[in-house]
C-alpha cells in the first residue's frame, strides 16, 4: 500500500477500512458507538483492535484521532501497519497490541478538532480531584478575539490582529494563554469540558482490560498540526524516568522528543491524555508519547481552528463559509501534499516499528 492509498477520504471510509483490515488479520475488534451520526448518516464509533494471545508482559498501544480531524493521519498509520502485518511484509509483533481508532469520531467525521460537546479531548483528562474550571490568566482577556460570536469572514484581517497580539505579549505567552486549555468558555476554542468525556470514561473502563495486565506499555498517540512541515516531535507531558528517557534516545535519537514547555513547539496543557495514562498507573512502566507531526505555521493553524469554531457555533451548516472553514481545517491538519503524506506515513510507521523492536528485544533480555 502506498502512502496516498493509506489516507482515507472521509471518516466512514477510514472506519470501514480499519475494521476490514483488523478482521483480515483475525484480531479482536470492539466498537463503541457514541450516538449521533456523521454527515452521510453513518454511525459514529470509537473502534478498538487487540491482537489475540501471545506475550502479555508488554503492550504496544497505537492511537489516533483524539483531535478528530487529525484522525486521517492516525488512521493511515494504523491501516498501513495492519496491512503490512497481514501481507507478511513485516513480522507480526510478539507482544500485546492495542489499536485505538477514531478516539473522537464526531470530530473526525465532521472535520472538527473538538468533540460533540465542543470539548478538546486532549484537555479533558484531568486527574481525580482536579476541577473542570479555570482558564489560563490571559484567556478571558483574549476571549473576544479568540471566539467572536459570529460566522467567520473571509475579509477579517486575522493575521494582522494575531501578529499584533504576538508582538505585544510574546509568542510563548500567547501560545500558553490560548492553547493550554480552559474550562470556563464552553463555546470557546481549547475548552476542556465540564467533566470526563465519553472517550475518557470508555478508556478508564476498558484500557486495563485491553492491556491484559502488562507491566510495560509503550503508547504512541498520533497527532498533526504542531511543528515544521512533515517533521515529527514526540511530546511528553509528564516527568520521564531515566529508563524511559534512555529508551526514547536509543529508539528514536537525541532530539526526537520534547518535554512540554512554552519554549518548544508545544505548551503546558492541562488534562492531557499522556499525563492521565501515566498517572492512572495502568502499568508499572507506561511510556506515552504524543507523536506530533507538523503541517503549517502557527498563525494559519490558529486562524483555521478559530474560523471552524466560529462556523460551528454561529454559522449555518450548509453555508459556503462553513464548508470553506471545514475544508480549510482538514487541509491544515491533513495536508493533501503527496510529499507530506509520504514523509509522515513513513516516519509514523518507523516509530511503531522501533517501539516493537525495542519492546521485543527488552522482553528477550533477562530481567
Ligand atoms: Zn492533536
Amino acid at each position: 500500500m502506498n502512502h496516498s492509498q493509506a489516507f482515507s477520504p472521509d471518516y466512514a471510509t477510514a472506519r470501514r477500512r480499519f475494521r476490514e483490515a483488523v478482521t483480515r488479520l483475525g484480531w479482536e475488534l470492539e466498537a463503541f458507538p457514541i450516538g449521533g451520526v456523521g454527515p452521510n448518516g453513518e454511525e459514529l464509533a470509537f473502534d478498538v483492535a487487540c491482537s489475540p494471545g501471545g506475550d502479555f508482559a508488554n503492550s504496544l498501544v497505537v492511537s489516533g484521532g483524539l483531535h478528530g480531524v487529525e484522525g486521517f493521519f492516525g488512521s493511515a498509520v494504523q491501516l498501513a501497519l495492519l496491512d503490512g502485518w497481514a501481507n507478511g511484509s513485516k513480522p507480526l509483533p510478539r507482544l500485546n497490541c492495542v489499536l485505538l481508532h477514531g478516539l473522537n469520531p464526531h470530530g473526525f467525521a465532521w472535520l472538527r478538532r473538538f468533540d460533540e460537546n465542543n470539548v478538546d479531548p486532549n484537555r479533558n483528562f484531568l486527574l481525580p480531584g482536579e476541577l473542570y474550571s479555570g482558564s489560563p490568566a490571559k484567556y478571558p482577556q483574549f476571549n473576544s478575539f479568540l471566539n467572536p460570536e459570529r460566522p467567520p469572514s473571509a475579509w477579517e484581517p486575522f493575521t494582522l490582529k494575531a501578529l499584533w497580539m504576538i508582538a505585544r505579549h510574546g509568542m510563548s505567552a500567547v501560545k500558553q494563554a490560548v492553547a493550554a486549555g480552559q474550562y470556563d468558555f464552553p463555546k470557546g476554542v481549547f475548552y476542556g469540558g465540564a467533566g470526563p468525556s465519553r472517550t475518557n470514561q470508555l478508556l478508564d473502563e476498558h484500557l486495563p482490560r485491553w492491556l491484559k495486565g502488562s507491566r510495560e506499555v509503550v503508547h504512541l498517540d498520533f497527532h498533526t498540526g504542531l511543528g515544521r512541515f512533515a517533521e515529527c516531535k514526540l511530546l511528553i507531558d509528564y516527568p520521564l524516568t531515566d529508563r524511559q528517557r534512555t529508551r526514547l534516545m536509543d529508539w528514536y535519537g537525541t532530539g526526537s522528543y520534547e518535554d512540554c514547555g512554552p519554549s518548544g513547539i508545544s505548551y503546558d496543557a492541562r488534562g492531557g491524555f499522556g499525563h492521565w495514562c501515566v498517572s492512572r498507573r495502568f502499568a508499572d512502566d507506561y511510556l506515552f508519547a504524543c507523536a506530533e507531526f507538523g503541517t503549517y505555521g502557527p498563525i494559519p493553524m490558529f486562524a483555521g481552528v478559530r474560523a471552524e469554531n466560529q462556523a460551528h457555533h454561529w454559522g449555518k451548516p450548509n453555508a459556503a463559509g462553513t464548508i470553506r472553514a471545514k475544508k480549510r481545517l482538514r487541509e491544515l491538519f491533513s495536508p493533501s501534499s503527496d510529499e507530506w503524506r509520504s514523509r509522515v506515513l513513513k516516519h509514523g510507521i518507523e516509530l511503531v516499528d522501533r517501539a516493537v523492536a525495542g519492546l521485543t528485544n527488552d522482553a528477550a533480555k533477562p530481567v
Side-chain angles (χ1 to χ4, degrees):
M1 178 186 297
N2 67 32
H3 62 268
S4 56
Q5 289 167 330
F7 280 82
S8 295
D10 51 42
Y11 162 76
T13 309
R15 180 177 187 223
R16 176 179 51 75
R17 294 172 80 197
F18 175 78
R19 293 176 60 83
E20 285 171 2
V22 172
T23 306
R24 200 158 53 235
L25 202 50
W27 286 16
E28 294 155 25
L29 193 54
E30 292 180 52
F32 299 89
I34 62 156
V37 292
N40 300 308
E42 68 272 30
E43 180 183 62
L44 300 177
F46 150 43
D47 292 284
V48 182
C50 291
S51 62
D55 172 15
F56 298 147
N58 299 295
S59 282
L60 168 78
V61 183
V62 179
S63 55
L66 188 62
H67 279 141
V69 67
E70 299 175 19
F72 289 98
F73 171 50
S75 179
V77 171
Q78 291 174 337
L79 195 63
L81 287 167
L82 289 165
D83 202 51
W85 291 331
N87 69 23
S89 63
K90 62 175 78 206
L92 275 171
R94 286 181 294 110
L95 46 86
N96 183 47
C97 293
V98 183
L99 305 188
L100 310 175
H101 183 270
L103 284 167
N104 167 9
H106 177 92
F108 196 163
W110 289 97
L111 305 178
R112 300 212 75 204
R113 197 170 177 276
F114 311 127
D115 77 2
E116 60 278 17
N117 297 313
N118 197 50
V119 170
D120 181 327
N122 214 21
R123 308 289 180 272
N124 183 257
F125 288 93
L126 294 178
L127 299 178
E130 282 188 274
L131 293 178
Y132 285 83
S133 65
S135 309
K138 289 200 167 133
Y139 194 100
Q141 184 186 331
F142 293 162
N143 181 50
S144 61
F145 169 66
L146 300 175
N147 304 307
E149 297 187 357
R150 58 175 185 272
S153 154
W155 312 111
E156 188 195 13
F158 172 84
T159 303
L160 279 179
K161 286 192 203 169
L163 287 172
W164 180 82
M165 257 174 70
I166 291 163
R168 191 156 167 232
H169 301 277
M171 186 61 173
S172 296
V174 170
K175 246 187 334 188
Q176 188 64 31
V178 171
Q182 55 84 12
Y183 302 84
D184 298 334
F185 301 87
K187 289 189 176 176
V189 290
F190 304 103
Y191 172 60
S197 70
R198 192 170 159 74
T199 297
N200 181 332
Q201 292 175 34
L202 284 171
L203 288 164
D204 197 35
E205 185 181 347
H206 298 286
L207 197 51
R209 177 168 61 82
W210 296 325
L211 296 175
K212 303 185 174 89
S214 287
R215 290 190 305 275
E216 307 234 348
V217 176
V218 173
H219 184 159
L220 294 167
D221 187 39
F222 284 91
H223 288 255
T224 56
L226 269 184
R228 295 166 69 93
F229 194 75
E231 290 186 12
C232 172
K233 267 281 188 228
L234 300 174
L235 305 180
I236 311 290
D237 66 348
Y238 58 92
L240 287 169
T241 63
D242 289 344
R243 182 163 187 269
Q244 292 175 328
R245 203 177 292 278
T246 306
R247 275 189 158 175
L248 287 175
M249 285 197 285
D250 286 353
W251 296 354
Y252 303 123
T254 316
S256 59
Y257 69 92
E258 171 179 309
D259 296 57
C260 288
S263 56
I265 62 165
S266 188
Y267 33 77
D268 291 315
R270 286 181 72 198
F273 186 23
H275 182 243
W276 180 84
C277 286
V278 174
S279 303
R280 300 285 284 124
R281 298 205 53 83
F282 291 124
D284 292 344
D285 188 338
Y286 201 113
L287 174 55
F288 182 106
C290 165
E292 181 67 70
F293 286 75
T295 56
Y296 297 95
I299 293 177
M301 293 311 289
F302 181 63
V305 169
R306 174 184 183 262
E308 190 281 332
N309 198 53
Q310 281 179 269
H312 176 79
H313 294 294
W314 311 104
K316 293 198 171 71
N318 293 321
T322 301
I323 293 164
R324 191 166 54 234
K326 290 192 170 284
K327 213 173 138 197
R328 178 77 189 134
L329 197 77
R330 181 198 170 114
E331 174 63 24
L332 287 167
F333 286 98
S334 180
S336 47
S337 145
D338 276 344
E339 187 209 339
W340 186 84
R341 292 187 171 193
S342 156
R343 284 174 59 191
V344 298
L345 191 62
K346 184 163 172 279
H347 198 145
I349 292 166
E350 272 170 21
L351 292 178
V352 176
D353 286 348
R354 283 186 214 163
V356 169
L359 276 169
T360 315
N361 291 340
D362 282 4
K365 282 184 207 152
V367 181

